[in-house]
Amino acid sequence: MSAVITAPSAAAKPLSTWVFWGRMLVLPYMAVFLIFVLFPVGYGLWLARHPASYEKLFEDPIFLRTAINTVIFIVVAINLKMVVALVLSGFFTQKRWWISVLSVLFIIPWAVPSIPTILSVRFMLNPEWGVINTTIFKLTGLDGPNWLNDPTLALGFSMLMHVWKSLPFWTLILVAGRLAIPGEQYEAASVDGATSWQKFRFITWPAMRSLYLTSTILSMIWTLGDFNSVYLLTGGGPADLTHVLATLGIRYLRLDQVDLSMAAIVVSLPLVLPLVYFMMKRLSK
């Protein structure tokens, strides 16, 4: 009769001190993630579980205008911001003392809080006592336009505020990408007689293309959840014609329609999830 000898289970081995304390230190972060991330997201999806909420949402005429505004905001504002950031990144990599001083001033819009800066622009655009219309009246004797009463102008100013606010951050990211390119490549191109455009086309852009595209996708994801630029400047007005999906959810909350508010947020997932997928796919290369 042969005896069966079984090896001790790996689970039976006692945990080392490092492994034990490592798991203990991770538990607070797991608790924070569950309480402040997973639970709110799950609860929001639970509130938006009823198909009737989406039927009411799609029947609201404001929703279609909001969806169009969101697409316009993403396509126009993001591409404008990233192209300008790419150009400015080349400017700020020049080694001159006054450019270093200017770069510090350039960071200020991104560093200061959104509420006072955007509200100050809103006050400047006031048709009665705003500094812009006051200046126009002093110079021409004519009353200035009601800037935020026109939906096209109001949405355009909201996009400009978004670009102005977040442009320094993405410029810094692209500056870091430019500085990572070996200077010897530019020196060799100069010896060969390459122009500035040829250096950008054959050296800078191939080296920065992946960073630029990843930054653009990440900026789109963040912008879909950004409500400051629109909500603080126009409040969705006039006549709820400048809402984006993020501010539309707040509008429904103010009307005590929580199910529609959550539905408006969930509707943005078909836009967010593909962007997340493409970004993670690029980062995994």
Side-chain angles (χ1 to χ4, degrees):
M1 187 174 180
S2 60
V4 179
I5 302 176
T6 59
S9 175
K13 294 175 63 176
L15 296 176
S16 66
T17 303
W18 286 104
V19 174
F20 173 78
W21 283 110
R23 293 181 179 179
M24 290 298 103
L25 292 174
V26 168
L27 286 178
Y29 296 97
M30 292 295 295
V32 170
F33 178 79
L34 290 174
I35 296 173
F36 295 102
V37 178
L38 192 59
F39 174 74
V41 171
Y43 184 63
L45 293 175
W46 182 79
L47 289 174
R49 70 190 186 280
H50 300 294
S53 300
Y54 298 94
E55 293 178 4
K56 291 169 60 179
L57 180 66
F58 295 149
E59 291 173 356
D60 191 343
I62 298 175
F63 172 75
L64 179 59
R65 179 62 181 255
T66 299
I68 295 174
N69 289 343
T70 303
V71 174
I72 293 174
F73 202 102
I74 292 176
V75 173
V76 176
I78 300 303
N79 285 284
L80 175 63
K81 174 179 62 179
M82 296 308 299
V83 169
V84 175
L86 182 62
V87 174
L88 289 178
S89 65
F91 172 77
F92 284 114
T93 51
Q94 300 179 68
K95 296 180 180 179
R96 299 177 182 177
W97 68 269
W98 59 272
I99 292 181
S100 300
V101 176
L102 188 62
S103 63
V104 175
L105 300 176
F106 181 70
I107 296 296
I108 293 178
W110 173 68
V112 297
S114 299
I115 295 178
T117 54
I118 297 179
L119 288 181
S120 64
V121 174
R122 182 172 181 173
F123 296 150
M124 291 169 61
L125 295 172
N126 187 281
E128 297 179 2
W129 43 262
V131 64
I132 295 178
N133 280 8
T134 301
T135 304
I136 292 175
F137 181 78
K138 289 181 179 179
L139 294 177
T140 65
L142 301 175
D143 293 331
N146 192 340
W147 301 99
L148 300 181
N149 199 43
D150 182 274
T152 303
L153 283 177
L155 186 62
F157 276 115
S158 298
M159 290 190 288
L160 287 177
M161 287 304 305
H162 171 79
V163 172
W164 176 76
K165 179 64 180 173
S166 57
L167 179 62
F169 174 80
W170 296 111
T171 302
L172 283 179
I173 297 297
L174 297 181
V175 165
R178 283 181 180 267
L179 294 178
I181 303 174
E184 293 80 4
Q185 297 184 17
Y186 293 104
E187 294 175 1
S190 298
V191 172
D192 293 338
T195 62
S196 298
W197 168 247
Q198 290 172 329
K199 291 178 183 178
F200 174 81
R201 180 181 177 184
F202 296 107
I203 299 176
T204 305
W205 178 246
M208 294 185 60
R209 179 170 52 206
S210 180
L211 175 63
Y212 182 87
L213 294 178
T214 302
S215 299
T216 301
I217 295 173
L218 185 59
S219 180
M220 288 181 178
I221 295 171
W222 288 353
T223 303
L224 281 170
D226 175 30
F227 67 92
N228 289 338
S229 302
V230 175
Y231 189 76
L232 295 177
L233 187 65
T234 69
D240 292 323
L241 294 177
T242 59
H243 276 297
V244 292
L245 288 175
T247 60
L248 184 64
I250 298 177
R251 174 184 180 272
Y252 288 130
L253 279 179
R254 295 177 63 182
L255 297 175
D256 200 22
Q257 296 175 314
V258 181
D259 56 337
L260 290 182
S261 175
M262 293 298 104
I265 302 301
V266 173
V267 163
S268 65
L269 291 180
L271 296 174
V272 175
L273 295 180
L275 294 174
V276 174
Y277 171 77
F278 286 122
M279 186 187 69
M280 298 307 298
K281 189 174 182 180
R282 294 195 64 84
L283 292 177
S284 62
K285 291 182 179 180

